[in-house]
mmCIF file of all heavy atoms in Angstrom:
data_model
loop_
_atom_site.group_PDB
_atom_site.id
_atom_site.type_symbol
_atom_site.label_atom_id
_atom_site.label_comp_id
_atom_site.label_asym_id
_atom_site.label_seq_id
_atom_site.Cartn_x
_atom_site.Cartn_y
_atom_site.Cartn_z
ATOM 1 N N VAL A 51 -46.541 59.293 96.154
ATOM 2 C CA VAL A 51 -47.908 58.865 96.209
ATOM 3 C C VAL A 51 -48.176 58.380 97.644
ATOM 4 O O VAL A 51 -47.544 57.376 98.039
ATOM 5 C CB VAL A 51 -48.261 57.775 95.156
ATOM 6 C CG1 VAL A 51 -49.710 57.341 95.296
ATOM 7 C CG2 VAL A 51 -47.960 58.256 93.752
ATOM 8 N N SER A 52 -48.982 59.080 98.394
ATOM 9 C CA SER A 52 -49.166 58.834 99.833
ATOM 10 C C SER A 52 -47.795 58.915 100.501
ATOM 11 O O SER A 52 -47.129 59.937 100.351
ATOM 12 C CB SER A 52 -49.803 57.482 100.036
ATOM 13 O OG SER A 52 -51.106 57.453 99.455
ATOM 14 N N ASP A 53 -47.258 57.916 101.052
ATOM 15 C CA ASP A 53 -45.980 57.939 101.696
ATOM 16 C C ASP A 53 -44.868 57.267 100.880
ATOM 17 O O ASP A 53 -43.769 57.086 101.364
ATOM 18 C CB ASP A 53 -45.984 57.360 103.124
ATOM 19 C CG ASP A 53 -46.414 55.915 103.128
ATOM 20 O OD1 ASP A 53 -46.919 55.402 102.087
ATOM 21 O OD2 ASP A 53 -46.188 55.230 104.141
ATOM 22 N N LYS A 54 -45.207 56.875 99.662
ATOM 23 C CA LYS A 54 -44.218 56.212 98.795
ATOM 24 C C LYS A 54 -43.599 57.122 97.788
ATOM 25 O O LYS A 54 -44.289 57.948 97.199
ATOM 26 C CB LYS A 54 -44.922 55.056 97.980
ATOM 27 C CG LYS A 54 -45.278 53.833 98.761
ATOM 28 C CD LYS A 54 -45.761 52.724 97.892
ATOM 29 C CE LYS A 54 -46.436 53.132 96.641
ATOM 30 N NZ LYS A 54 -47.033 52.041 95.873
ATOM 31 N N VAL A 55 -42.296 57.029 97.617
ATOM 32 C CA VAL A 55 -41.562 57.740 96.527
ATOM 33 C C VAL A 55 -41.303 56.734 95.445
ATOM 34 O O VAL A 55 -40.897 55.633 95.721
ATOM 35 C CB VAL A 55 -40.248 58.369 97.091
ATOM 36 C CG1 VAL A 55 -39.440 58.935 95.944
ATOM 37 C CG2 VAL A 55 -40.536 59.412 98.105
ATOM 38 N N LEU A 56 -41.519 57.138 94.189
ATOM 39 C CA LEU A 56 -41.363 56.269 93.062
ATOM 40 C C LEU A 56 -41.034 57.072 91.829
ATOM 41 O O LEU A 56 -41.179 58.314 91.790
ATOM 42 C CB LEU A 56 -42.641 55.441 92.841
ATOM 43 C CG LEU A 56 -43.939 56.247 92.660
ATOM 44 C CD1 LEU A 56 -44.322 56.361 91.186
ATOM 45 C CD2 LEU A 56 -45.048 55.527 93.456
ATOM 46 N N LEU A 57 -40.627 56.366 90.785
ATOM 47 C CA LEU A 57 -40.324 56.969 89.506
ATOM 48 C C LEU A 57 -41.281 56.423 88.477
ATOM 49 O O LEU A 57 -41.582 55.255 88.495
ATOM 50 C CB LEU A 57 -38.871 56.683 89.025
ATOM 51 C CG LEU A 57 -37.762 57.182 89.934
ATOM 52 C CD1 LEU A 57 -36.403 56.795 89.288
ATOM 53 C CD2 LEU A 57 -37.842 58.629 90.158
ATOM 54 N N VAL A 58 -41.762 57.257 87.561
ATOM 55 C CA VAL A 58 -42.542 56.829 86.436
ATOM 56 C C VAL A 58 -41.811 57.336 85.171
ATOM 57 O O VAL A 58 -41.537 58.528 85.056
ATOM 58 C CB VAL A 58 -43.971 57.385 86.475
ATOM 59 C CG1 VAL A 58 -44.746 57.125 85.192
ATOM 60 C CG2 VAL A 58 -44.719 56.917 87.680
ATOM 61 N N VAL A 59 -41.551 56.409 84.289
ATOM 62 C CA VAL A 59 -40.961 56.728 82.968
ATOM 63 C C VAL A 59 -42.051 56.632 81.929
ATOM 64 O O VAL A 59 -42.800 55.703 81.860
ATOM 65 C CB VAL A 59 -39.815 55.686 82.633
ATOM 66 C CG1 VAL A 59 -39.074 56.150 81.369
ATOM 67 C CG2 VAL A 59 -38.828 55.548 83.792
ATOM 68 N N MET A 60 -42.163 57.706 81.163
ATOM 69 C CA MET A 60 -43.285 57.834 80.232
ATOM 70 C C MET A 60 -42.883 58.541 78.975
ATOM 71 O O MET A 60 -41.794 59.200 78.939
ATOM 72 C CB MET A 60 -44.425 58.568 80.902
ATOM 73 C CG MET A 60 -44.066 59.941 81.437
ATOM 74 S SD MET A 60 -45.180 60.474 82.687
ATOM 75 C CE MET A 60 -45.813 61.960 82.006
ATOM 76 N N ALA A 61 -43.711 58.480 77.934
ATOM 77 C CA ALA A 61 -43.405 59.132 76.664
ATOM 78 C C ALA A 61 -43.384 60.655 76.867
ATOM 79 O O ALA A 61 -44.106 61.205 77.730
ATOM 80 C CB ALA A 61 -44.449 58.780 75.640
ATOM 81 N N GLY A 62 -42.550 61.290 76.079
ATOM 82 C CA GLY A 62 -42.314 62.728 76.195
ATOM 83 C C GLY A 62 -43.556 63.570 76.001
ATOM 84 O O GLY A 62 -43.649 64.695 76.553
ATOM 85 N N ASP A 63 -44.545 63.062 75.244
ATOM 86 C CA ASP A 63 -45.694 63.833 75.011
ATOM 87 C C ASP A 63 -46.873 63.438 75.935
ATOM 88 O O ASP A 63 -47.984 63.928 75.829
ATOM 89 C CB ASP A 63 -46.178 63.731 73.530
ATOM 90 C CG ASP A 63 -46.569 62.322 73.120
ATOM 91 O OD1 ASP A 63 -46.285 61.355 73.864
ATOM 92 O OD2 ASP A 63 -47.189 62.162 72.081
ATOM 93 N N ALA A 64 -46.613 62.593 76.873
ATOM 94 C CA ALA A 64 -47.620 62.098 77.814
ATOM 95 C C ALA A 64 -47.664 62.992 79.056
ATOM 96 O O ALA A 64 -46.719 63.624 79.443
ATOM 97 C CB ALA A 64 -47.342 60.641 78.205
ATOM 98 N N ARG A 65 -48.843 62.935 79.678
ATOM 99 C CA ARG A 65 -49.023 63.663 80.957
ATOM 100 C C ARG A 65 -49.659 62.719 81.939
ATOM 101 O O ARG A 65 -50.464 61.858 81.588
ATOM 102 C CB ARG A 65 -49.937 64.871 80.775
ATOM 103 C CG ARG A 65 -49.387 65.945 79.815
ATOM 104 C CD ARG A 65 -50.343 67.089 79.682
ATOM 105 N NE ARG A 65 -50.514 67.662 80.999
ATOM 106 C CZ ARG A 65 -50.260 68.919 81.332
ATOM 107 N NH1 ARG A 65 -49.775 69.724 80.416
ATOM 108 N NH2 ARG A 65 -50.453 69.386 82.540
ATOM 109 N N LEU A 66 -49.318 62.873 83.202
ATOM 110 C CA LEU A 66 -49.968 62.059 84.194
ATOM 111 C C LEU A 66 -51.435 62.314 84.256
ATOM 112 O O LEU A 66 -51.869 63.455 84.132
ATOM 113 C CB LEU A 66 -49.379 62.371 85.576
ATOM 114 C CG LEU A 66 -47.974 61.836 85.888
ATOM 115 C CD1 LEU A 66 -47.536 62.284 87.266
ATOM 116 C CD2 LEU A 66 -47.927 60.300 85.836
ATOM 117 N N ASP A 67 -52.200 61.197 84.413
ATOM 118 C CA ASP A 67 -53.659 61.329 84.605
ATOM 119 C C ASP A 67 -53.916 61.014 86.060
ATOM 120 O O ASP A 67 -53.678 59.878 86.492
ATOM 121 C CB ASP A 67 -54.282 60.327 83.647
ATOM 122 C CG ASP A 67 -55.817 60.364 83.734
ATOM 123 O OD1 ASP A 67 -56.366 60.078 84.828
ATOM 124 O OD2 ASP A 67 -56.446 60.560 82.716
ATOM 125 N N ASN A 68 -54.402 61.977 86.824
ATOM 126 C CA ASN A 68 -54.623 61.751 88.221
ATOM 127 C C ASN A 68 -55.539 60.625 88.576
ATOM 128 O O ASN A 68 -55.235 59.836 89.517
ATOM 129 C CB ASN A 68 -55.144 63.063 88.942
ATOM 130 C CG ASN A 68 -54.022 64.097 89.101
ATOM 131 O OD1 ASN A 68 -52.849 63.752 89.201
ATOM 132 N ND2 ASN A 68 -54.391 65.377 89.043
ATOM 133 N N ALA A 69 -56.598 60.467 87.778
ATOM 134 C CA ALA A 69 -57.537 59.332 88.063
ATOM 135 C C ALA A 69 -56.864 57.978 87.790
ATOM 136 O O ALA A 69 -57.022 57.069 88.627
ATOM 137 C CB ALA A 69 -58.793 59.480 87.198
ATOM 138 N N LYS A 70 -56.109 57.858 86.725
ATOM 139 C CA LYS A 70 -55.373 56.658 86.432
ATOM 140 C C LYS A 70 -54.365 56.360 87.514
ATOM 141 O O LYS A 70 -54.156 55.190 87.924
ATOM 142 C CB LYS A 70 -54.745 56.676 85.064
ATOM 143 C CG LYS A 70 -55.671 56.566 83.909
ATOM 144 C CD LYS A 70 -54.908 56.566 82.582
ATOM 145 C CE LYS A 70 -55.776 56.390 81.383
ATOM 146 N NZ LYS A 70 -54.951 56.373 80.160
ATOM 147 N N CYS A 71 -53.633 57.419 87.964
ATOM 148 C CA CYS A 71 -52.623 57.202 89.000
ATOM 149 C C CYS A 71 -53.229 56.737 90.282
ATOM 150 O O CYS A 71 -52.766 55.837 90.914
ATOM 151 C CB CYS A 71 -51.881 58.507 89.252
ATOM 152 S SG CYS A 71 -50.632 58.937 88.058
ATOM 153 N N LYS A 72 -54.348 57.323 90.662
ATOM 154 C CA LYS A 72 -55.011 56.982 91.861
ATOM 155 C C LYS A 72 -55.447 55.495 91.799
ATOM 156 O O LYS A 72 -55.313 54.729 92.778
ATOM 157 C CB LYS A 72 -56.249 57.867 92.139
ATOM 158 C CG LYS A 72 -56.847 57.621 93.468
ATOM 159 C CD LYS A 72 -57.897 58.705 93.757
ATOM 160 C CE LYS A 72 -58.470 58.446 95.167
ATOM 161 N NZ LYS A 72 -59.488 59.452 95.540
ATOM 162 N N ALA A 73 -55.992 55.062 90.640
ATOM 163 C CA ALA A 73 -56.446 53.689 90.487
ATOM 164 C C ALA A 73 -55.248 52.684 90.489
ATOM 165 O O ALA A 73 -55.332 51.674 91.130
ATOM 166 C CB ALA A 73 -57.212 53.540 89.201
ATOM 167 N N ALA A 74 -54.137 53.038 89.842
ATOM 168 C CA ALA A 74 -53.025 52.164 89.683
ATOM 169 C C ALA A 74 -52.116 52.164 90.897
ATOM 170 O O ALA A 74 -51.498 51.187 91.263
ATOM 171 C CB ALA A 74 -52.276 52.459 88.445
#
Side-chain angles (χ1 to χ4, degrees):
V51 177
S52 301
D53 62 344
K54 288 189 327 188
V55 172
L56 56 99
L57 300 181
V58 174
V59 186
M60 56 202 240
D63 64 345
R65 297 181 60 120
L66 286 176
D67 181 300
N68 285 331
K70 287 182 177 184
C71 282
K72 188 172 182 180

